[in-house]
Amino acid sequence: MERAALVRSVSCSSVLCRRYLHLCRRSYGYGCSSIPFLTTTTTTVTITKPSLSLPRRRSSRLLPSSSSPLYFPIRKHFSSCSPRAVLFPSPGFGEVKDEVAHKLGFEKVSEEFIPECKSKAVLFRHIKTGAQVMSVSNDDENKVFGIVFRTPPTDSTGIPHILEHSVLCGSRKYPLKEPFVELLKGSLHTFLNAFTYPDRTCYPVASTNTKDFYNLVDVYLDAVFFPRCVEDFQIFQQEGWHFELNDPSEEITYKGVVFNEMKGVYSQPDNILGRTAQQALFPDTTYGVDSGGDPRVIPKLTFEEFKEFHRKYYHPSNSRIWFYGDDDPNERLRILSEYLDLFDSSLAPDESRVEPQTLFSKPVRIVETYPAGEGGDLKKKHMVCLNWLLSDKPLGLETELTLGFLNHLLLGTPASPLRKILLESRLGDAIVGGGVEDELLQPQFSIGMKGVSADDIHKVEELVTSTLKKLAEEGFDTDSIEASMNTIEFSLRENNTGSFPRGLSLMLQSIGKWIYDLNPFEPLKYEKPLQDLKSRIAKEGSKSVFSPLIEKFILSNPHQVTVEMQPDPEKAARDEATEKQILQKVRASMTTEDLAELTRATHELRLKQETPDPPEALKTVPSLSLQDIPKEPIHVPTEVGDINGVKVLQHDLFTNDVLYTEIVFNMNSLKQELLPLVPLFCQSLLEMGTKDLTFVQLNQLIGRKTGGISVYPFTSSVLGKEDPCSHMVVRGKAMAGHIEDLYDLVNSVLQDVQFTDQQRFKQFVSQSRARMENRLRGSGHGIAAARMDAKLNAAGWMSEKMGGLSYLEFLRTLEERVDQDWADISSSLEEIRKSIFSKQGCLINITADRKNLANMEKIVSKFVDMLPTSSPIATNTWNVRLPLTNEAIVIPTQVNYVGKAANIYDTGYQLNGSAYVISKYISNTWLWDRVRVSGGAYGGFCDFDTHSGVFSFLSYRDPNLLKTLDVYDGTGDFLRELQIDDDTLSKAIIGTIGDVDAYQLPDAKGYSSMLRYLLGITEEERKRRREEILSTSLKDFKKFMDAMEAVKDKGVVVAVASPEDVDAANKDRPNFFQVKKAL
């Protein structure tokens, strides 16, 4: 996946929140694990916990979505997860004796114990090739391996990105089309992906099962060093680009997975802005081109250049290799030696060295255009971003840490002054740029706004500069410093990486320095620099610490690039016309024989793509056996009790002295017309302020006393019931010494916040609208999925009202209403509060260790007694749906998102655990091969919401529309003709259990258990579903065929697509789509 140049959403991005905070990085493109769309909705508003921004560019493989049933651990609802115990290595653990290392071909370079991650880290060097290996040993069962190469491109043909895709398409030991997909089908991986940065390519895997882990490692090592793609031109064509001609009489088109992925990237204004800024900041270096590939340039790449790039850079001498976890460090070196010993040293480290950008002597201004929809006030659709390159070389650790802290002070929370002042100016709808960005050789700082009027561009620039000048002159107040310090320190010590493996988070931190030949240990150690910074602030005062940084790195820095983006309603059509002209010239240059040969090659490639691998090739991929799989589901200790009439769930789990809690309120009494206001209500609770505290003071108090509070709705269907499960969830966490503070603050948020700040509320509306418009372009599959769900069940209708196209339409109307009808809106917000927050129907969930749970009754009792006791209005019946019609949601885009869905329970299907195996298998075989591999889409997958019965097909960044629907409709025939041997079936079952037993940290376990309680899922049911999964047979696949035929015949279609493709579809199938123009 290409790590795309996104202009980052504001939150704390830099050193403290990415390198030092062990939190999951968000990435775009081939998503980190699966394309995130929810059949149950959570809209989260979080305060004070710094989240990672979208980095400048990193891409990864898009994986098929898998059903993650609530009968098992839940992964799709809330990304924040708590720490697990990572103990000090036991005596002698992690030892590799020098003589053993030498025998295996390695020498020990250095060795350190890293207290921050309770790990012993040893840096080895492979004597023959110079390959560097970091071997990190601890008691974390979630083992991680990664191999990273420096891969600096010299042009925008996307070689590193295409190669990242291609090396996983078969290798010397594993000569099948895609061993990567076979691993997806049949391993217990907790992470399996690859990333392309602007200057490096990473191949990480993770698993808690040692045998499975080493299988993954071997497949990846063989893939990077001995890939088939350097000999097989058709792999290059499939993953990169090729001319496609189905018949000599037709027009030639471009196809290729990366080509279409990058078309999607270049359809998104934020991405275009980020790429433009990066390339303008670094015009003389490798960062001045696009490692992901520019669709206009990708077709210039030749197979010879592609092969040479692999030969030059994919060499052990140019690699950095990482191992982490509780496996035997001797075995790690043994596995590596089998591969590394086959190579001699090379000059790659010298040839791949990244050179720094020389600093400018004066600022630069760039004006670009982006594709915008016709209609609306284009004058107010401009974007502007100010960018600075902060240094001509990497910064020292202390300076980086201080800059990261400054970044959090400026932008890390809604109360941060630069963020607050920009949004309150009303000069734009939302912020772009995420402050400090330090993933590349030289750090940058970016900040700006989108939704800006053409006349206000310079006002935004002046406001940024004047605000920074004022902050440099006056400094930050003491409460802001204390809140930021607590927030950062809490996150560091909590070490919460969510579903992202901790070892991978540490690897990416280490690589950020190691890849530039700097010390790989330093990024893992935060304790001393953090204490030094705290001491320096205490001694010198915060102004003396931070003001010189603002002055030096920003205000007096001439290396500044201002990027202005102008909306162009004709750009998308013009780009398409240019591409067609190029292809017409290609066609005109061909003889009749050439056209016949291209047609033959097109069919030959498709035949290869659609022909299954032979059984003997499939058997080469190592896998576990069913005997390796636990027969029982993962147990989460849950004690159900009652405190003053409120149900309380307690989970006794080790959490490192952190307490996690959810306070849940029933939403069923809410009036339907108030539903779209709920997300804004959640944001208002945390960003409006109380009678005694401004929102800034409330924000700071939360930052000083807790690890964060969030409020969001949770909505899901319930198996066997018409009415949905709908709740408001208030989620928070705190260290043991601040538990009472946490509950007091939650009470204040729920009951004391005043809905009186009209201008702030209008900001919320504008921000939400801008966010939804961006989601339409970048995550159209999520919009399509929500829309289909809203047509098929009540929970889906509720979710779509709070986060789909209906919500966007509501926001656009509300934006006009705020000025004319504020009193009514404020009253509605108050009505939501009175309808939802009541002791009646409340549930409290607590995850902590036994010692802290024992002290909870008094605190919870006090909190419960402060809740309103008035009974809510009578419960509503949510028996509503959107009309069951096919819809095309039209936006300016070069790629489509195509969905089709039906409720298979309505057609007679009865849930069996085998459905999880079958739907995952359909995604990983039929849809992967037809929608992605031969269709050229970035992704194609299916999802089965077992609570509602909705079975959905979806595609992502898809060049096709009707062709993809034909593939969906062919699923029944695929199952009808399917023959599956025992080995393949076992792999499918094992892969499904891998999803079911997804690795979770303690707070995620407690949260998942709570959701199961809310949805009425018992332990007996979990066991039964697991038994059904483990006993899945070919007969079950054949039974499922009827359900797929029902989706074909009765399914509803929603596509987020370009106007040209929708027009063509309606011409081909008259009146097939009702058209809704969204942008």
Side-chain angles (χ1 to χ4, degrees):
M1 134 174 118
E2 188 272 345
R3 176 115 167 173
L6 289 185
V7 180
R8 296 137 295 161
S9 57
V10 168
S11 17
C12 183
S13 69
S14 66
V15 179
L16 283 170
C17 299
R18 188 175 49 257
R19 178 154 296 137
Y20 291 95
L21 299 186
H22 306 163
L23 302 175
C24 177
R25 298 160 186 249
R26 292 166 55 200
S27 59
Y28 124 89
Y30 254 172
C32 260
S33 61
S34 63
I35 303 181
F37 71 91
L38 303 180
T39 50
T40 49
T41 291
T42 60
T43 304
T44 310
V45 180
T46 307
I47 272 223
T48 75
K49 176 181 172 181
S51 62
L52 296 179
S53 69
L54 289 168
R56 285 263 178 208
R57 263 210 319 271
R58 188 183 82 191
S59 118
S60 67
R61 282 198 149 225
L62 179 65
L63 309 185
S65 174
S66 59
S67 297
S68 186
L70 284 176
Y71 300 100
F72 312 104
I74 302 149
R75 293 188 293 169
K76 292 184 178 178
H77 300 289
F78 193 84
S79 63
S80 173
C81 301
S82 68
R84 62 181 295 280
V86 182
L87 305 176
F88 284 84
S90 54
F93 185 87
E95 289 293 332
V96 178
K97 294 182 179 179
D98 288 348
E99 58 269 26
V100 174
H102 274 277
K103 186 176 179 181
L104 292 169
F106 294 89
E107 61 182 3
K108 190 180 294 184
V109 178
S110 57
E111 179 177 348
E112 292 190 37
F113 183 79
I114 312 290
E116 287 84 348
C117 55
K118 299 179 176 62
S119 302
K120 178 180 178 181
V122 185
L123 178 63
F124 292 99
R125 178 182 172 274
H126 185 245
I127 298 167
K128 188 178 178 186
T129 64
Q132 298 178 44
V133 181
M134 271 285 274
S135 182
V136 182
S137 297
N138 50 44
D139 282 350
D140 191 342
E141 65 174 343
N142 200 8
K143 292 165 276 291
V144 174
F145 162 83
I147 183 165
V148 183
F149 301 96
R150 271 202 308 242
T151 51
T154 57
D155 57 38
S156 295
T157 55
I159 297 185
H161 188 191
I162 296 170
L163 194 54
E164 174 236 301
H165 281 237
S166 301
V167 299
L168 296 172
C169 294
S171 64
R172 175 195 61 174
K173 286 173 68 174
Y174 308 109
L176 58 160
K177 289 191 296 183
E178 298 206 65
F180 177 80
V181 179
E182 291 307 307
L183 295 175
L184 285 178
K185 293 178 189 173
S187 87
L188 298 177
H189 63 271
T190 56
F191 192 90
L192 184 71
N193 220 317
F195 307 139
T196 300
Y197 286 76
D199 57 9
R200 58 194 181 269
T201 309
C202 308
Y203 295 89
V205 297
S207 179
T208 57
N209 181 290
T210 303
K211 179 181 175 182
D212 186 54
F213 177 62
Y214 288 142
N215 288 345
L216 297 172
V217 171
D218 195 63
V219 171
Y220 262 49
L221 284 171
D222 205 63
V224 296
F225 290 128
F226 303 105
R228 294 172 64 214
C229 65
V230 295
E231 301 166 356
D232 190 335
F233 179 52
Q234 289 180 320
I235 294 174
F236 168 76
Q237 291 180 304
Q238 170 183 294
E239 299 298 323
W241 77 276
H242 64 277
F243 294 123
E244 181 165 288
L245 184 63
N246 292 307
D247 185 276
S249 64
E250 295 179 358
E251 295 298 316
I252 296 173
T253 59
Y254 286 126
K255 277 289 175 69
V257 174
V258 169
F259 178 79
N260 285 314
E261 174 189 350
M262 298 314 296
K263 271 196 156 187
V265 170
Y266 276 79
S267 294
Q268 294 177 254
D270 287 17
N271 294 349
I272 299 170
L273 173 56
R275 289 178 135 70
T276 302
Q278 179 182 298
Q279 292 171 29
L281 279 172
F282 296 94
D284 307 317
T285 76
T286 191
Y287 306 138
V289 299
D290 191 341
S291 66
D294 184 331
R296 297 167 297 183
V297 185
I298 289 172
K300 295 179 181 177
L301 178 62
T302 68
F303 187 46
E304 288 67 31
E305 292 168 331
F306 173 80
K307 291 189 292 184
E308 174 60 17
F309 196 89
H310 179 272
R311 185 203 65 76
K312 188 174 182 180
Y313 293 130
Y314 277 60
H315 190 282
S317 301
N318 191 43
S319 68
R320 309 288 191 279
I321 302 170
W322 172 276
F323 273 99
Y324 166 98
D326 65 357
D327 60 310
D328 181 1
N330 293 279
E331 182 65 11
R332 298 169 178 177
L333 298 186
R334 188 198 65 75
I335 291 169
L336 290 176
S337 66
E338 290 184 2
Y339 283 91
L340 304 185
D341 288 350
L342 299 174
F343 294 84
D344 296 315
S345 63
S346 85
L347 298 175
D350 297 324
E351 296 173 338
S352 69
R353 188 166 287 116
V354 178
E355 298 299 329
Q357 171 67 47
T358 304
L359 296 184
F360 298 165
S361 58
K362 59 182 180 181
V364 171
R365 188 176 195 87
I366 305 285
V367 179
E368 273 283 355
T369 61
Y370 72 87
E374 295 180 359
D377 188 357
L378 292 179
K379 187 180 178 184
K380 293 183 179 179
K381 295 290 185 181
H382 290 245
M383 306 168 74
V384 62
C385 190
L386 289 76
N387 310 270
W388 288 268
L389 187 61
L390 303 186
S391 173
D392 59 357
K393 57 188 175 185
L395 298 173
L397 199 64
E398 186 177 341
T399 305
E400 277 196 334
L401 184 69
T402 312
L403 267 177
F405 197 105
L406 172 62
N407 192 61
H408 187 262
L409 285 168
L410 291 170
L411 296 165
T413 75
S416 298
L418 183 54
R419 177 175 179 176
K420 177 175 176 287
I421 287 167
L422 284 173
L423 290 173
E424 288 182 350
S425 72
R426 304 294 298 154
L427 292 172
D429 293 336
I431 289 178
V432 292
V436 176
E437 166 59 54
D438 63 349
E439 285 197 315
L440 306 182
L441 179 64
Q442 295 160 268
Q444 310 122 64
F445 181 86
S446 302
I447 187 67
M449 300 195 81
K450 62 181 176 181
V452 179
S453 169
D455 298 333
D456 290 335
I457 291 290
H458 291 290
K459 292 179 184 177
V460 173
E461 298 172 40
E462 290 165 5
L463 184 59
V464 168
T465 305
S466 63
T467 302
L468 289 169
K469 280 182 180 176
K470 185 178 179 184
L471 289 168
E473 291 167 1
E474 299 177 3
F476 299 89
D477 65 75
T478 305
D479 286 345
S480 294
I481 298 292
E482 186 183 338
S484 281
M485 183 61 74
N486 181 72
T487 297
I488 288 164
E489 197 163 359
F490 184 99
S491 294
L492 287 167
R493 303 199 189 292
E494 184 196 23
N495 190 16
N496 192 327
T497 58
S499 59
F500 204 70
R502 277 187 172 145
L504 178 52
S505 178
L506 292 172
M507 179 189 112
L508 296 178
Q509 294 165 40
S510 181
I511 282 291
K513 292 297 183 188
W514 193 13
I515 201 73
Y516 305 120
D517 302 315
L518 300 172
N519 189 333
F521 296 93
E522 288 305 312
L524 309 180
K525 299 184 288 188
Y526 62 80
E527 194 68 59
K528 185 179 184 301
L530 183 64
Q531 294 308 319
D532 288 348
L533 177 59
K534 290 169 77 172
S535 298
R536 192 174 156 215
I537 291 172
K539 182 180 178 182
E540 302 174 21
S542 63
K543 186 180 177 201
S544 297
V545 173
F546 298 114
S547 293
L549 296 184
I550 298 174
E551 186 63 44
K552 175 184 177 181
F553 289 117
I554 301 176
L555 296 176
S556 299
N557 182 358
H559 195 115
Q560 177 188 346
V561 173
T562 301
V563 179
E564 179 184 346
M565 299 289 294
Q566 300 176 346
D568 183 348
E570 298 175 359
K571 179 173 172 57
R574 196 165 57 246
D575 290 346
E576 286 294 318
T578 300
E579 182 180 302
K580 284 182 180 177
Q581 287 174 4
I582 293 170
L583 291 169
Q584 285 168 357
K585 287 181 181 178
V586 169
R587 195 182 199 288
S589 70
M590 289 183 168
T591 64
T592 303
E593 290 76 16
D594 292 335
L595 293 170
E597 173 57 24
L598 180 56
T599 303
R600 186 201 64 76
T602 297
H603 290 298
E604 184 181 277
L605 176 60
R606 185 173 296 120
L607 179 63
K608 177 184 176 181
Q609 291 169 330
E610 296 177 358
T611 301
D613 286 305
E616 58 271 19
L618 291 171
K619 289 183 186 301
T620 63
V621 179
S623 102
L624 301 174
S625 71
L626 288 176
Q627 283 66 46
D628 297 316
I629 305 303
K631 297 295 184 285
E632 296 292 318
I634 293 171
H635 174 69
V636 179
T638 303
E639 184 179 311
V640 182
D642 185 286
I643 296 179
N644 296 3
V646 169
K647 194 75 70 178
V648 178
L649 309 183
Q650 296 188 74
H651 311 284
D652 179 8
L653 296 166
F654 176 79
T655 58
N656 215 16
D657 222 27
V658 179
L659 177 131
Y660 300 91
T661 187
E662 290 82 28
I663 300 102
V664 182
F665 299 94
N666 199 311
M667 278 176 51
N668 283 348
S669 60
L670 190 67
K671 291 179 181 176
Q672 289 186 10
E673 61 267 24
L674 296 179
L675 198 60
L677 267 178
V678 165
L680 295 163
F681 168 79
C682 295
Q683 186 173 2
S684 298
L685 286 176
L686 292 168
E687 296 186 39
M688 277 280 198
T690 69
K691 179 182 177 182
D692 301 317
L693 298 171
T694 67
F695 100 87
V696 172
Q697 292 169 327
L698 177 61
N699 193 286
Q700 290 171 346
L701 195 56
I702 292 172
R704 283 159 47 203
K705 301 294 186 182
T706 79
I709 295 172
S710 59
V711 187
Y712 56 92
F714 168 80
T715 304
S716 173
S717 295
V718 180
L719 182 62
K721 294 185 178 180
E722 277 295 316
D723 291 335
C725 167
S726 182
H727 292 85
M728 182 79 72
V729 181
V730 183
R731 199 167 197 208
K733 56 187 173 181
M735 299 303 295
H738 286 293
I739 294 171
E740 191 164 4
D741 292 326
L742 173 63
Y743 279 93
D744 287 345
L745 280 165
V746 168
N747 179 70
S748 184
V749 164
L750 298 184
Q751 301 201 59
D752 299 340
V753 166
Q754 297 188 315
F755 305 117
T756 55
D757 195 331
Q758 180 179 358
Q759 290 309 307
R760 278 199 62 72
F761 188 81
K762 192 169 184 181
Q763 286 175 39
F764 303 161
V765 178
S766 297
Q767 292 167 35
S768 298
R769 176 185 49 74
R771 197 160 44 239
M772 286 300 302
E773 288 175 348
N774 196 51
R775 188 174 171 228
L776 255 176
R777 293 173 181 267
S779 303
H781 59 289
I783 298 293
R787 196 78 177 170
M788 294 187 299
D789 230 20
K791 295 170 182 287
L792 294 167
N793 66 85
W797 181 86
M798 294 179 72
S799 299
E800 209 267 345
K801 284 287 182 183
M802 295 185 287
L805 183 62
S806 296
Y807 182 52
L808 174 58
E809 293 168 343
F810 168 79
L811 290 170
R812 287 170 171 165
T813 303
L814 185 64
E815 205 164 9
E816 302 298 323
R817 277 186 59 209
V818 175
D819 290 328
Q820 291 113 34
D821 203 9
W822 170 242
D824 184 59
I825 293 168
S826 178
S827 175
S828 294
L829 293 171
E830 194 61 54
E831 186 177 347
I832 293 174
R833 170 155 51 196
K834 290 178 180 177
S835 298
I836 294 175
F837 297 142
S838 169
K839 184 176 176 181
Q840 183 178 329
C842 177
L843 178 141
I844 296 176
N845 191 59
I846 304 169
T847 304
D849 53 39
R850 174 55 57 189
K851 177 186 70 175
N852 287 319
L853 289 176
N855 300 324
M856 287 304 299
E857 184 166 356
K858 182 179 176 182
I859 295 171
V860 173
S861 178
K862 173 187 167 187
F863 173 81
V864 166
D865 286 344
M866 295 171 74
L867 289 174
T869 55
S870 57
S871 298
I873 305 164
T875 300
N876 285 320
T877 300
W878 299 93
N879 189 22
V880 279
R881 313 279 193 280
L882 288 179
L884 205 61
T885 54
N886 295 340
E887 280 187 313
I889 300 166
V890 173
I891 63 171
T893 180
Q894 299 180 63
V895 289
N896 306 318
Y897 304 87
V898 185
K900 185 169 186 176
N903 189 320
I904 61 175
Y905 291 164
D906 290 347
T907 65
Y909 178 78
Q910 293 187 338
L911 178 62
N912 183 281
S914 62
Y916 303 119
V917 181
I918 298 164
S919 59
K920 182 179 175 72
Y921 187 82
I922 290 169
S923 283
N924 285 335
T925 54
W926 172 248
L927 297 177
W928 180 279
D929 290 340
R930 298 303 173 108
V931 176
R932 181 192 179 279
V933 175
S934 63
Y938 199 11
F941 52 95
C942 60
D943 182 83
F944 182 27
D945 177 3
T946 55
H947 313 296
S948 67
V950 173
F951 190 98
S952 308
F953 292 103
L954 286 162
S955 69
Y956 184 73
R957 290 184 184 158
D958 190 345
N960 306 306
L961 207 171
L962 295 182
K963 284 182 181 178
T964 297
L965 291 173
D966 290 340
V967 172
Y968 299 162
D969 289 347
T971 304
D973 290 337
F974 164 72
L975 293 177
R976 184 177 293 107
E977 297 166 10
L978 179 67
Q979 294 300 318
I980 188 168
D981 59 32
D982 291 343
D983 187 50
T984 302
L985 182 59
S986 293
K987 283 183 180 179
I989 293 170
I990 292 166
T992 304
I993 292 292
D995 291 339
V996 164
D997 290 348
Y999 185 76
Q1000 289 188 310
L1001 296 172
D1003 75 323
K1005 290 180 178 178
Y1007 184 74
S1008 300
S1009 180
M1010 177 196 75
L1011 291 186
R1012 286 193 289 267
Y1013 182 87
L1014 290 173
L1015 296 173
I1017 298 168
T1018 64
E1019 289 303 300
E1020 290 71 24
E1021 193 170 358
R1022 293 181 71 207
K1023 289 178 182 178
R1024 185 168 73 254
R1025 298 299 175 212
R1026 190 180 187 91
E1027 290 167 0
E1028 291 167 352
I1029 289 171
L1030 291 170
S1031 61
T1032 299
S1033 67
L1034 179 60
K1035 185 178 178 182
D1036 294 309
F1037 280 77
K1038 300 301 181 181
K1039 284 182 181 177
F1040 205 71
M1041 181 179 65
D1042 291 338
M1044 294 301 91
E1045 289 298 322
V1047 179
K1048 173 185 174 181
D1049 297 335
K1050 299 180 180 180
V1052 64
V1053 175
V1054 176
V1056 177
S1058 69
E1060 296 82 8
D1061 286 350
V1062 173
D1063 287 345
N1066 273 339
K1067 285 178 183 174
D1068 193 43
R1069 300 181 190 177
N1071 301 316
F1072 184 77
F1073 284 116
Q1074 285 190 3
V1075 180
K1076 287 183 74 76
K1077 186 177 178 184
L1079 291 176

